[in-house]
Amino acid sequence: MLILASASLSRRQMLQNAGLDFTVETSGVDEDEVKLSLIAEKATPQDIAETLAELKAKRVSMRRPGALVIGADTTLACNGRLFDKPPTMAAARTQLQALAGQTHELHSSVVVAQGGARLWHCNERARLTMRPLPDRFLDAYLARAGEAVTQSVGAYQLEGVGAHLFAKVDGDYFTILGLPLLPLLSFLAGHGIGLENAA
């Protein structure tokens, strides 16, 4: 049995598109509390992503000991500042204004756990450079993207109209969407989970 310990629609879609048979079970980890603690300990953005991914995977795997459980997390850092999902459209606008014309880093981590123990993990990083974003453009972007901007760190989905925000992207596409998919598929194939094993 394969379980995704994430409420992320993007991660769910990636696994579905890859033809995997899985269920979704959220972990209940208080991500904000964990982040605050890690930031106080001067953890790096990559460490934060990996710790959260591992906590999610382990928490669900303790409830489902026979399953392989996938946990994932992504952090966004720009000029020494960590960004979270914006809670409102107004917050999304403020966040985009801070990222405009800058290069930021996305750190994505994926962990697979079983029976409360981490079996495997992979960390990936991508660098994205946003165009300058004049007010008129931001108005048009936010109107078109809608409330979806509050569902992702950085207030964009690269697979949609968010592509208009960028001048340059360096890194794996799936990593930018929030899941280092290709290394994960290789790991799962080694554990008998793949297209050749699908029902």
Side-chain angles (χ1 to χ4, degrees), residues 113-174:
Q114 187 173 44
R118 181 169 92 170
L119 298 182
W120 174 86
H121 81 283
C122 178
N123 296 326
E124 296 283 352
R125 182 184 71 166
R127 289 171 57 85
L128 298 88
T129 302
M130 276 196 183
R131 299 164 39 196
L133 305 176
D135 286 343
R136 186 175 173 188
F137 173 87
L138 269 179
D139 290 341
Y141 167 72
L142 290 168
R144 181 72 66 89
E147 292 291 333
V149 297
T150 64
Q151 301 303 308
S152 63
V153 65
Y156 61 81
Q157 284 89 27
L158 191 68
E159 67 272 31
V161 295
H164 290 275
L165 300 171
F166 295 96
K168 186 177 182 183
V169 172
D170 293 311
D172 174 68
Y173 177 70
F174 298 113

Side-chain angles (χ1 to χ4, degrees), residues 24-162:
V24 174
E25 185 172 334
T26 56
S27 66
V29 169
D30 186 338
E31 296 185 43
D32 292 335
E33 184 179 318
V34 173
K35 276 183 193 173
L36 286 173
S37 175
L38 290 169
I39 289 167
E41 295 169 11
K42 305 281 194 271
T44 66
Q46 188 66 78
D47 289 339
I48 293 170
E50 183 178 337
T51 299
L52 284 167
E54 183 167 342
L55 283 171
K56 294 174 196 176
K58 282 184 173 180
R59 171 95 43 107
V60 173
S61 75
M62 284 189 283
R63 298 194 297 250
R64 303 281 184 260
L68 287 178
V69 180
I70 301 165
D73 197 78
T74 300
T75 58
L76 188 158
C78 184
N79 298 326
R81 178 181 166 195
L82 202 63
F83 287 77
D84 284 313
K85 294 176 184 175
T88 64
M89 294 289 282
R93 185 185 188 90
T94 300
Q95 191 173 105
L96 288 166
Q97 287 170 329
L99 296 173
Q102 305 291 316
T103 297
H104 65 261
E105 292 187 337
L106 285 177
H107 299 269
S108 285
S109 182
V110 58
V111 171
V112 178
Q114 187 173 44
R118 181 169 92 170
L119 298 182
W120 174 86
H121 81 283
C122 178
N123 296 326
E124 296 283 352
R125 182 184 71 166
R127 289 171 57 85
L128 298 88
T129 302
M130 276 196 183
R131 299 164 39 196
L133 305 176
D135 286 343
R136 186 175 173 188
F137 173 87
L138 269 179
D139 290 341
Y141 167 72
L142 290 168
R144 181 72 66 89
E147 292 291 333
V149 297
T150 64
Q151 301 303 308
S152 63
V153 65
Y156 61 81
Q157 284 89 27
L158 191 68
E159 67 272 31
V161 295

